[in-house]
C-alpha cells in the first residue's frame, strides 16, 4: 500500500464520506483517479477501456468519465486496488479491520460473571449502539432532485460486453425487507434495463432477496424495493458482504464508518435509504407477475451467465442529490475490480469464521483467478489427525463458502508470500490417492461446469503435515522427469497441440497440455495413452486445457481449469502400481460438449470484447489521457470463443 494512504488514514481522524464526491476528491488528492473529459460511449467502449486499466499492475487507477452522454459523471474501478479499497473503508489496512472485529468478538464473548465484569462491557455496548442506523425525519440529500417522470435511460448505465442482453446496473445496493420479521437486507444484484421504468432483478435462489421475494409471494403482496447508488463507499461494500441473514448491512457500515447511518423514508414506498446516497431508485416487484427473460451477462466468472427467468422491478421514483455521481463496475475474466472487494471480505470476515466455527483457521486466501468461489486456500494450526478434513467440511457449511469448488488446506507458515514455494511443497508432498477427497453440495448459480444447475461436486486437498495416523505408506523421493522428455509428445499424440513444462523445471509436479478436441475425441482414451508413457509415471498432476488457451499464462490456466471442472466428473485419480511411480490426478479443464463429454447443458463463451470495439479504443487511446496504450486483454482470450453469442457453439 502506498505510504501516503496509510499516513492519511492513521494520522487524521477519518470522517465518513458525504457521498461519492467526497471520495472522488480524496482519490484525486492521492493521485488515484484519472478524469476522462472526452466523449465516451456507455455501450462497450467504457468497458474496453476499464478492462485494460483494471488488469494493469496493482489494478490501475479509478476512472471518472465526465462526458458519457448523460448529466451524471460515471465513476468506475474506484475500489480496484488494495490502497483504494482501504481508502473506501477508512482504514490503513484490511487486516486492521479484521483485527478490530476479532477483538470486538472476543470482548463480547468473554466472561462477564461479576457485576464489575458486566459494567466493563457498558462502554463497548455504547460504542456498538453508536453504529446502529437511525431514521431521520424529512427529505434527505438523496431526494434533493426528483425526476418528474422516472427514466432510467437518463443514467449512464453500461452495456458491458458484446453478447450482453442489454445495459445493466452493476453496482446497486438493493434494499428489501423480510415480510415476516421486518428485518432489512441490502444486497447486490445486477439489474438489466428493460425500459425507462422497468428492470430485471437478478437475485439467485440462495440469496436473501430471493427469500424475501418468496415470502411476499406466499403472502400475495407486492414487494417494495429500493436501490441505492453511491453515497459512502462503505454502503457499496456492505451490500456485497457475506453477513448472516438477519444482520442489517447498515450496522456493518456503521462499524466501518464509526458513525451510524442516517436513513430517510423513500418517497413512494415505506423503505429507508441512506440520507447521503447519490441516487435512489424506488419501486416494487410484483410476485404475481410473470417472470422476465433476463440476460445473458458477461459475469465475474469470466464467462457469460446465460439468460434465464427472473422477476421484474417496476420503478416508481428516481431521486438524486445535486452533483450526483453514478457508480459502476465491470466484471469478466480476472483480475477486475471485484477482486479487491473480495480481498476486503477475505480479511474482514476471517475473524468471525475463526471465532464461531473454525478456531484453528489462521489465514484465508481467495486468489483472484479463482473468481471467489472456485478456489480457496486455507491455513490452519494443526494439532490432530483429520483436522484439515474437519476444516473443509466446516467451511463448506459456512454461508457463501458453501459454493466453494476446490479447497486446499495447509499448515505451512506464511504460505502465500512465496506462492511458487507453496505450490512446490503441495505438489511434492501430497498423495493424490489419500490426500484428496470429493464431496457434493450447492454450487453457485453462475457455475457453468456442473452437470446440474446449482448443484455439483467439490474437491478438498489436504496439504498439511501428516500425523502418524494419517500416513498410509512410507514417502519416497519423487524424481521429476526432465521437461525435454515431453518435447515430442505432440508429435506422438495428435490431439495435443501445446505443452507447458515450465513447472516441472521449477520442481513442481504439474504438466499442462493444450488439447484439440476433434470429432471423435474422448478424454479417457487420451488419459490411457498418456499413462503408458514412462515420463508421465513420475508426474502427479496432469491438466488438460483447450489448445486455444495460452498455456504459458499460468494465471489463465488456473482460472480456466477451476472454472471448467465439476471435480468428481472431471478429476480422475490413478494409483501408482510400481516402485518409482507416483499416483496421478488427471484434470480435464477443457470446454465440455455433448459429443465428447456427454454434457447436456449449454456451455457459455468467455467474456471478451469485439474486434470492432478493440480497434476503436486502440485508435482513440491517445484522446483518453491514459498514458501509453495498453493492449486489449481480450486478444489473449478471443481464440477460445465458439461463435459470437453468449453460448459456445
Amino acid at each position: 500500500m502506498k505510504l501516503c494512504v496509510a499516513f492519511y488514514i492513521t494520522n487524521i481522524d477519518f470522517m465518513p464520506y458525504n457521498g461519492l464526491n467526497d471520495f472522488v476528491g480524496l482519490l484525486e488528492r492521492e493521485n488515484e483517479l484519472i478524469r476522462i473529459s472526452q466523449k465516451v460511449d456507455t455501450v462497450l467502449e467504457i468497458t474496453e477501456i476499464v478492462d485494460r486499466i483494471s488488469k494493469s499492475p496493482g489494478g490501475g487507477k479509478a476512472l471518472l468519465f465526465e462526458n458519457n452522454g448523460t448529466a451524471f459523471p460515471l465513476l468506475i474501478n474506484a475500489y480496484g486496488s488494495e490502497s483504494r479499497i482501504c481508502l473506501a473503508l477508512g482504514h490503513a489496512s484490511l487486516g486492521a479491520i479484521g483485527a478490530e472485529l476479532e477483538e470486538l468478538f472476543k470482548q463480547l464473548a468473554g466472561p462477564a460473571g461479576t457485576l464489575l465484569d458486566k459494567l466493563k462491557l457498558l462502554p463497548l455496548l455504547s460504542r456498538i449502539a453508536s453504529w446502529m442506523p437511525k431514521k431521520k425525519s424529512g427529505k434527505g440529500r438523496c431526494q434533493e432532485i426528483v425526476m418528474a417522470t422516472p427514466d432510467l435511460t437518463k443514467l449512464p448505465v453500461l452495456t458491458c460486453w458484446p453478447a450482453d442482453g442489454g445495459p445493466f446496473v452493476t453496482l446497486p445496493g438493493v434494499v428489501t425487507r423480510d415480510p415476516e420479521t421486518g428485518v432489512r437486507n441490502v444486497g447486490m444484484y445486477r439489474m438489466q434495463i428493460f425500459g425507462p421504468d422497468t428492470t430485471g432483478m437478478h437475485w439467485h435462489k440462495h440469496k436473501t432477496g430471493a427469500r424475501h421475494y418468496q415470502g411476499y409471494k406466499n403472502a400475495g403482496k407486492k414487494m417494495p424495493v429500493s436501490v441505492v447508488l453511491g453515497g459512502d463507499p462503505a454502503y457499496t461494500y456492505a451490500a456485497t458482504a457475506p453477513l448472516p441473514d438477519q444482520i442489517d448491512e447498515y450496522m456493518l457500515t456503521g462499524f466501518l464508518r464509526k458513525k451510524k447511518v442516517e436513513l430517510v423514508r423513500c418517497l413512494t414506498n415505506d423503505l429507508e435509504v441512506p440520507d447521503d446516497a447519490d441516487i435512489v431508485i424506488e419501486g416494487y416487484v410484483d410476485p404475481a407477475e410473470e417472470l422476465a427473460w433476463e440476460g445473458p451477462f458477461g459475469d465475474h466468472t469470466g464467462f457469460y451467465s446465460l439468460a434465464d427467468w427472473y422477476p421484474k422491478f417496476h420503478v416508481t421514483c428516481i431521486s438524486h442529490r445535486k452533483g450526483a455521481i453514478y457508480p459502476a463496475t465491470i466484471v469478466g475474466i480476472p483480475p477486475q475490480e471485484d477482486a479487491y472487494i473480495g480481498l476486503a471480505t477475505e480479511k474482514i470476515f476471517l475473524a468471525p469464521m475463526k471465532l464461531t466455527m473454525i478456531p484453528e483457521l489462521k489465514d484465508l486466501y481467495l486468489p483472484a483467478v479463482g473468481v471467489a468461489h472456485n478456489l480457496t486456500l486455507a491455513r490452519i494450526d494443526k494439532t490432530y489427525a483429520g483436522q484439515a478434513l474437519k476444516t473443509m467440511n466446516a467451511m463448506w457449511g459456512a454461508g457463501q463458502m458453501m459454493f466453494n469448488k476446490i479447497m486446499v488446506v495447509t499448515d505451512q507458515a506464511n504460505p502465500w508470500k512465496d506462492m511458487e514455494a507453496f505450490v512446490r511443497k503441495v505438489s511434492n508432498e501430497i498423495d493424490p490417492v489419500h490426500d484428496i477427497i470429493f464431496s457434493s453440495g450447492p454450487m453457485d448459480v453462475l457455475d457453468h461446469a456442473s452437470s446440474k444447475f446449482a448443484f455439483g461436486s467439490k474437491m478438498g486437498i489436504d496439504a498439511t503435515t501428516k500425523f502418524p495416523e494419517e500416513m498410509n505408506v512410507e514417502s519416497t523421493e519423487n524424481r521429476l522427469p526432465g521437461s525435454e522428455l515431453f518435447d515430442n509428445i505432440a508429435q506422438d499424440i495428435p490431439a495435443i497441440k501445446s505443452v507447458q513444462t515450465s513447472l516441472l523445471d521449477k520442481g513442481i509436479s504439474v504438466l499442462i497440455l493444450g488439447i484439440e478436441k476433434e470429432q471423435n475425441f474422448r478424454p479417457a482414451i487420451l488419459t490411457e495413452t498418456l499413462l503408458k508413457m514412462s515420463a508421465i509415471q513420475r508426474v502427479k498432476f496432469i491438466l488438460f486445457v483447450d489448445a486455444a488457451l495460452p498455456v504459458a499464462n499460468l494465471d489463465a490456466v488456473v482460472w480456466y481449469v477451476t472454472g471448467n471442472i465439476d471435480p468428481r466428473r472431471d478429476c480422475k485419480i490413478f494409483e501408482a502400481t510400481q516402485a518409482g511411480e507416483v499416483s496421478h490426478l488427471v484434470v480435464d479443464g477443457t470446454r465440455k460438449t455433448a459429443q465428447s463429454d456427454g454434457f447436456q447443458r449449454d456451455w457459455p463463451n468467455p467474456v471478451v470484447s469485439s474486434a470492432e470495439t478493440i480497434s476503436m479504443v486502440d485508435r482513440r487511446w491517445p484522446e483518453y489521457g491514459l498514458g501509453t496504450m495498453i493492449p486489449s486483454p481480450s486478444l489473449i482470450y478471443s481464440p477460445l470463443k465458439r461463435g459470437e453469442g453468449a453460448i459456445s457453439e
Side-chain angles (χ1 to χ4, degrees):
M1 183 189 308
K2 297 194 315 185
L3 290 177
C4 61
V5 174
F7 179 86
Y8 177 87
I9 296 175
T10 55
N11 290 275
I12 300 176
D13 290 336
F14 172 70
M15 296 295 291
Y17 298 104
N18 176 21
L20 282 182
N21 268 298
D22 266 11
F23 187 47
V24 164
L26 176 59
L27 292 177
E28 202 154 30
R29 292 193 297 275
E30 293 291 329
N31 194 29
E32 287 279 359
L33 178 87
I34 297 175
R35 292 176 180 265
I36 298 176
S37 58
Q38 290 293 316
K39 176 70 181 296
V40 291
D41 199 331
T42 57
V43 178
L44 303 183
E45 184 179 6
I46 287 179
T47 294
E48 174 60 16
I49 296 168
V50 175
D51 194 36
R52 300 184 191 203
I53 295 296
S54 63
K55 286 182 170 59
S56 302
K61 295 191 177 184
L63 303 176
L64 188 69
F65 291 93
E66 299 176 304
N67 187 357
N68 55 58
T70 75
F72 301 91
L74 182 147
L75 178 66
I76 196 165
N77 205 34
Y79 315 114
S81 72
E82 186 168 355
S83 59
R84 288 200 298 281
I85 193 68
C86 289
L87 281 173
L89 300 182
H91 287 70
S93 73
L94 299 174
I97 305 175
E100 183 182 356
L101 193 60
E102 183 171 1
E103 183 59 29
L104 176 65
F105 268 69
K106 286 179 179 178
Q107 291 182 55
L108 290 172
T114 68
L115 177 60
L116 181 59
D117 290 331
K118 294 175 181 177
L119 289 174
K120 289 178 180 178
L121 285 177
L122 291 179
L124 175 62
L125 296 176
S126 177
R127 283 175 58 208
I128 294 173
S130 73
W131 304 333
M132 300 295 289
K134 74 171 184 178
K135 298 178 183 179
K136 177 182 174 182
S137 61
K139 292 180 69 174
R141 286 170 286 177
C142 62
Q143 298 162 338
E144 287 177 328
I145 300 173
V146 180
M147 287 188 186
T149 301
D151 186 352
L152 294 164
T153 66
K154 294 185 180 299
L155 303 177
V157 183
L158 296 179
T159 299
C160 298
W161 301 103
D164 279 1
F168 284 84
V169 179
T170 54
L171 212 56
V174 178
V175 181
T176 62
R177 188 170 51 214
D178 190 306
E180 296 181 2
T181 67
V183 173
R184 176 174 42 244
N185 180 74
V186 187
M188 187 169 288
Y189 317 111
R190 77 188 193 215
M191 300 164 58
Q192 181 179 346
I193 305 297
F194 294 146
D197 60 359
T198 312
T199 81
M201 189 58 74
H202 188 94
W203 43 48
H204 296 168
K205 62 169 65 179
H206 307 104
K207 303 297 184 180
T208 305
R211 185 177 60 76
H212 288 180
Y213 170 79
Q214 189 61 45
Y216 281 96
K217 185 174 183 177
N218 294 341
K221 297 179 179 178
K222 289 183 179 180
M223 176 180 182
V225 179
S226 289
V227 178
V228 175
L229 295 170
D232 192 309
Y235 303 152
T236 297
Y237 172 71
T240 73
L243 291 174
D245 198 9
Q246 299 296 320
I247 300 297
D248 189 342
E249 282 75 12
Y250 289 141
M251 180 181 177
L252 171 64
T253 305
F255 163 74
L256 294 170
R257 291 160 39 105
K258 298 298 179 284
K259 180 182 179 182
K260 63 181 62 181
V261 179
E262 292 188 335
L263 301 171
V264 294
R265 185 185 172 105
C266 288
L267 300 175
T268 59
N269 64 34
D270 61 355
L271 298 173
E272 292 98 20
V273 293
D275 165 70
D276 58 350
D278 278 65
I279 302 167
V280 176
I281 306 170
E282 302 174 12
Y284 65 90
V285 170
D286 185 355
E289 189 176 23
E290 289 187 357
L291 300 177
W293 190 242
E294 187 263 8
F297 177 70
D299 231 310
H300 78 275
T301 60
F303 295 86
Y304 283 97
S305 56
L306 303 182
D308 207 341
W309 299 101
Y310 283 92
K312 284 189 284 190
F313 169 60
H314 297 276
V315 178
T316 54
C317 179
I318 300 176
S319 66
H320 60 90
R321 62 190 303 164
K322 295 176 182 177
I325 293 174
Y326 176 84
T329 190
I330 65 164
V331 290
I333 295 173
Q336 298 279 14
E337 181 176 9
D338 60 324
Y340 297 96
I341 296 174
L343 179 64
T345 294
E346 176 186 317
K347 298 303 181 186
I348 294 172
F349 286 90
L350 175 65
M353 198 177 293
K354 284 167 53 178
L355 294 171
T356 58
M357 295 184 64
I358 314 168
E360 58 267 68
L361 184 63
K362 297 303 177 186
D363 199 5
L364 197 62
Y365 179 43
L366 281 67
V369 290
V371 297
H373 296 141
N374 289 342
L375 179 63
T376 296
L377 310 180
R379 180 173 70 87
I380 64 171
D381 180 14
K382 184 175 179 179
T383 57
Y384 56 82
Q387 200 165 6
L389 305 183
K390 178 259 188 187
T391 300
M392 294 172 197
N393 286 303
M395 292 182 71
W396 282 331
Q400 292 188 35
M401 197 58 71
M402 69 178 173
F403 300 132
N404 168 256
K405 187 184 292 189
I406 302 170
M407 186 174 298
V408 182
V409 180
T410 182
D411 57 351
Q412 180 180 335
N414 300 316
W416 330 135
K417 289 189 175 179
D418 186 345
M419 187 57 68
E420 182 180 312
F422 168 67
V423 174
R424 182 183 301 110
K425 183 178 177 67
V426 170
S427 78
N428 289 339
E429 295 189 4
I430 74 165
D431 175 0
V433 172
H434 299 109
D435 297 333
I436 295 177
I437 66 164
F438 295 95
S439 183
S440 296
M443 301 303 293
D444 191 337
V445 166
L446 303 180
D447 181 62
H448 63 271
S450 54
S451 296
K452 297 181 179 179
F453 175 72
F455 180 80
S457 62
K458 306 168 186 296
M459 179 168 65
I461 300 176
D462 180 358
T464 61
T465 305
K466 300 301 180 289
F467 280 47
E469 302 91 332
E470 299 171 303
M471 300 293 289
N472 290 280
V473 294
E474 290 293 327
S475 61
T476 58
E477 183 179 356
N478 177 25
R479 185 171 59 86
L480 292 178
S483 59
E484 72 279 356
L485 295 178
F486 300 99
D487 287 347
N488 297 320
I489 191 171
Q491 298 175 22
D492 298 334
I493 305 175
I496 298 175
K497 302 301 180 184
S498 57
V499 183
Q500 174 56 267
T501 58
S502 65
L503 293 175
L504 293 174
D505 293 334
K506 296 176 180 179
I508 298 170
S509 192
V510 176
L511 177 68
I512 304 166
L513 302 175
I515 307 299
E516 189 70 58
K517 299 173 80 168
E518 302 289 351
Q519 185 173 358
N520 296 318
F521 175 83
R522 294 292 182 272
I525 296 175
L526 174 60
T527 300
E528 183 181 346
T529 302
L530 287 169
L531 294 182
K532 292 177 181 177
M533 300 175 59
S534 58
I536 289 285
Q537 293 301 328
R538 290 183 277 140
V539 180
K540 285 186 182 177
F541 302 96
I542 304 159
L543 309 182
F544 300 160
V545 297
D546 289 301
L549 186 77
V551 294
N553 186 332
L554 297 179
D555 282 346
V557 170
V558 175
W559 159 70
Y560 200 68
V561 170
T562 58
N564 280 350
I565 64 170
D566 185 318
R568 199 189 300 273
R569 182 194 67 214
D570 297 324
C571 300
K572 305 299 182 187
I573 295 174
F574 299 87
E575 188 167 7
T577 58
Q578 300 182 41
E581 298 179 357
V582 296
S583 297
H584 318 284
L585 175 68
V586 180
V587 181
D588 180 3
T590 63
R591 163 182 171 265
K592 305 302 184 298
T593 66
Q595 186 175 43
S596 296
D597 312 285
F599 190 79
Q600 299 303 316
R601 297 174 62 201
D602 286 330
W603 193 271
N605 264 324
V607 177
V608 293
S609 290
S610 66
E612 295 77 13
T613 301
I614 294 170
S615 176
M616 181 265 292
V617 170
D618 282 349
R619 186 176 65 254
R620 293 199 63 195
W621 191 265
E623 302 174 32
Y624 303 138
L626 296 171
T628 304
M629 191 179 77
I630 303 169
S632 175
S634 291
L635 297 174
I636 300 171
Y637 302 102
S638 291
L640 292 165
K641 284 196 312 176
R642 298 292 184 272
E644 296 302 317
I647 298 174
S648 180
E649 296 176 357

